[in-house]
């Protein structure tokens, strides 16, 4: 590649006492390219709905009304202690809207 693009750099040669122009050496490894292809295949095959072990949005607790918010936080704390990523929806939306939002966000479990 460096030769095709006619890349050069100059360095000082102590023996000759002058600047010498050289062609750089390019070492190529496709480790990141293969990881990127692997992630692209995963994203395509799961269509954004990640399996539980890989998902950043594993579960959401949807309280049926604002007065059950404290209980929803207790449930979240227990699930978080078990090692899950859990959120609570405290929005003022209706129950149907909260469930729809959680489905669109592709949570694995909606509680």
């Amino acid at each position: 590649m460096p030769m095709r693009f006619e890349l050069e750099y100059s360095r000082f040669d102590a023996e000759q006492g002058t600047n010498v122009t050289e062609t750089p050496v390019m070492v190529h490894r496709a480790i990141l390219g293969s990881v990127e292809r692997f992630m692209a295949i995963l994203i395509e095959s799961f269509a954004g709905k990640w399996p539980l072990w890989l998902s950043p949005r594993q579960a959401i607790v949807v309280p049926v009304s604002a007065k059950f918010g404290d209980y929803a936080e207790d449930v979240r704390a227990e699930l978080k202690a078990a090692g899950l990523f859990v959120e609570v929806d405290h929005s003022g939306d209706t129950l149907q809207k909260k469930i729809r939002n959680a489905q669109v966000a592709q949570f694995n479990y909606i509680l």
Side-chain angles (χ1 to χ4, degrees), residues 52-88:
L52 183 65
W53 61 272
L54 188 59
S55 179
R57 294 184 151 181
Q58 293 178 336
I60 186 166
V61 181
V62 179
V64 294
S65 70
K67 64 183 177 181
F68 296 108
D70 292 336
Y71 179 71
E73 285 295 332
D74 293 340
V75 171
R76 183 198 64 80
E78 285 191 35
L79 292 173
K80 191 166 184 86
L84 295 174
F85 295 109
V86 185
E87 297 179 23
V88 177

Side-chain angles (χ1 to χ4, degrees), residues 16-38:
Q16 296 178 2
T18 61
N19 286 334
V20 178
T21 302
E22 294 184 352
T23 302
V25 175
M26 188 167 130
V27 178
H28 175 71
R29 292 191 65 192
I31 291 175
L32 289 179
S34 61
V35 170
E36 289 171 352
R37 282 190 298 277
F38 175 71

Side-chain angles (χ1 to χ4, degrees), residues 39 42-44 46-56 106 108:
M39 287 303 294
L42 273 180
I43 291 168
E44 184 178 338
F46 288 127
K49 181 73 171 186
W50 298 100
L52 183 65
W53 61 272
L54 188 59
S55 179
Q106 298 195 358
N108 292 86

